[in-house]
Amino acid sequence: MIAPRADVALMEGYHSPQVDVPVRLNTNESPEPPPQPWLDALAAEVGRIAWHRYPDRAATALREAIGSLHGVPATQVFAANGSNEVIQTLLLTFGGPGRSAAMWEPTYALHSHIARLTGTAVAVGERSADFTLDLAEVDRTLERGAPSVVFLCSPNNPTGLVEPEPVVRAVLDRCVARDALLVVDEAYAQFAPWSALELVGEDVPLVVTRTYSKTWSMAAARLGYLVGPTWAVDALHKVVLPYHLDALKQAAGTLAVRFVAEMDQRVARLVEERGRLVAALAALPVDVWPSGANFVLFRPRGRAGADVWQQLLERGVLVRNCSSWPRLEDCLRVTIGTRGEDDAFLAALEEALT
Ligand SMILES: *Cc1c(COP(=O)(O)O)cnc(C)c1O
């Protein structure tokens, strides 16, 4: 039997159990489906697709629609099958053998994982005890790793912390000085008070990644994108597989943009619900981190996180078990759900903790 490449053989892969329980609050999806009129429009579109032909390779209508959302031309938009494929294409293009990527833990595990898969070395720095980013540590990591690609995640998954604008600007200045590309992963940006999109420009080595998976209630569609300078988008188009976005997905993403008001309303409801959940958690024996996203990181006091995770599961509530991740000992992450789901989670947690 042929063995996988030596470095792949040593990898753990991505682990997030998909368990069929009544309350699934483990992967930060939207608890609400997209609007029915969107589904109706998409159903009508299915009949108009020329199924015997390859789809528009440049995904022009989709990229124009996304560009109109952010006030940029389609030439500044790159779309792919989820922002994970955006990240993969970035690393295949700007990383790869002989190059490295930097990130600061704890953060989104797929930044370092996909880097390694693409043969990109990783330079991993550490966040401070409160999970904020210390610029002296940033300098040490950049000096040590000399990365071509630098990752930030804001709001950061799994901590929920929003990277303050001065910090992002300071990291960007360092990327300019060092000829590195800054990638700000904004999968949860609509839940946060500011976005690095305002820093994007043709002469700036910055790309901002977004996804349809969370705020757009379209995790099943597998669609993500980035906004950045044209030179970066052009380079990515040389690397990504031809016709990587199927026609139905392009239609789904293009039509979704018509329903931005509904998306904003869903986000507002979730932000309000987040406030209610955090307030309720404050009455329980858990430590909670402030969140600018649609999830909350918490740590049961004096209890093994894995044990509490199991007890929640036995009560039909699935949350993300971060308890074995470096720096996140005993921590769990819960997605903001519907009021009913969150009440079920709170009741189960209260039982598990008493
Ligand atoms: C969920 C998430 C994504 C989304 O990935 P998709 O491939 O678009 O579903 C990207 N980045 C972070 C930090 C996430 O939490």
Side-chain angles (χ1 to χ4, degrees):
M1 261 190 333
I2 174 102
R5 205 175 72 207
D7 55 335
V8 172
L10 293 171
M11 284 178 186
E12 294 250 350
Y14 178 73
H15 291 291
S16 180
Q18 286 192 303
V19 191
D20 197 10
V21 291
V23 181
R24 288 186 297 175
L25 301 175
N26 64 325
T27 40
N28 302 338
E29 296 140 310
S30 166
E32 295 179 43
Q36 184 63 37
W38 169 80
L39 194 60
D40 295 341
L42 184 59
E45 200 57 37
V46 172
R48 281 194 286 270
I49 291 173
W51 286 100
H52 58 308
R53 298 293 186 187
Y54 280 108
D56 176 13
R57 203 169 81 208
T60 310
L62 172 65
R63 289 165 59 222
E64 276 172 358
I66 293 168
S68 74
L69 268 181
H70 301 301
V72 298
T75 49
Q76 284 190 253
V77 177
F78 172 78
N81 293 283
S83 48
N84 286 332
E85 193 186 41
V86 175
I87 291 163
Q88 183 188 54
T89 313
L90 278 166
L91 286 160
L92 287 170
T93 308
F94 297 102
R99 292 195 171 193
S100 73
M103 64 283 300
W104 291 272
E105 303 282 1
T107 190
Y108 188 49
L110 285 178
H111 294 159
S112 55
H113 180 64
I114 299 172
R116 291 187 178 101
L117 283 173
T118 60
T120 311
V122 292
V124 180
E126 293 288 322
R127 287 171 178 276
S128 305
D130 61 0
F131 299 141
T132 58
L133 194 56
D134 171 28
L135 289 174
E137 171 69 356
V138 169
D139 286 331
R140 282 191 293 272
T141 311
L142 298 182
E143 191 58 41
R144 178 163 42 85
S148 307
V149 182
V150 174
F151 283 98
L152 292 178
C153 186
S154 180
N156 189 24
N157 182 3
T159 64
L161 259 65
V162 178
E163 218 61 89
E165 181 172 349
V167 171
V168 176
R169 283 184 183 273
V171 176
L172 182 57
D173 287 346
R174 286 156 170 83
C175 289
V176 171
R178 291 174 169 273
D179 249 342
L181 178 68
L182 177 60
V183 181
V184 182
D185 185 333
E186 290 197 347
Y188 305 97
Q190 291 92 335
F191 297 107
W194 87 281
S195 163
L197 274 174
E198 63 192 64
L199 306 178
V200 169
E202 281 298 350
D203 302 324
V204 186
L206 166 70
V207 296
V208 176
T209 68
R210 293 277 180 104
T211 177
Y212 280 75
S213 299
K214 315 287 166 56
T215 48
W216 287 98
S217 293
M218 286 170 61
R222 306 303 302 125
L223 185 56
Y225 63 90
L226 66 71
V227 175
T230 307
W231 52 264
V233 171
D234 289 346
L236 295 167
H237 278 133
K238 287 190 201 167
V239 172
V240 77
L241 292 174
Y243 312 108
H244 66 300
L245 290 173
D246 69 73
L248 186 57
K249 180 179 323 226
Q250 291 188 34
T254 306
L255 291 170
V257 170
R258 292 191 198 157
F259 299 92
V260 65
E262 287 81 349
M263 185 270 281
D264 285 338
Q265 287 159 12
R266 281 196 306 275
V267 167
R269 280 196 291 277
L270 285 171
V271 167
E272 201 185 328
E273 179 64 9
R274 179 180 74 202
R276 190 182 77 89
L277 188 80
V278 168
L281 283 172
L284 294 173
V286 296
D287 295 320
V288 182
W289 280 269
S291 171
N294 68 335
F295 56 82
V296 176
L297 185 74
F298 67 97
R299 176 187 278 148
R301 287 190 211 118
R303 288 284 302 276
D307 177 41
V308 174
W309 181 83
Q310 186 63 41
Q311 298 233 8
L312 290 173
L313 189 60
E314 281 161 18
R315 290 166 174 80
V317 179
L318 181 61
V319 299
R320 194 69 197 266
N321 184 0
C322 313
S323 62
S324 64
W325 302 3
R327 306 277 312 277
L328 296 174
E329 292 76 17
D330 294 318
C331 286
L332 304 176
R333 189 197 69 195
V334 62
T335 305
I336 310 301
T338 61
R339 227 187 139 83
E341 289 172 327
D342 296 340
D343 283 341
F345 159 72
L346 288 165
L349 183 62
E350 202 168 342
E351 273 182 36
L353 293 175
T354 48

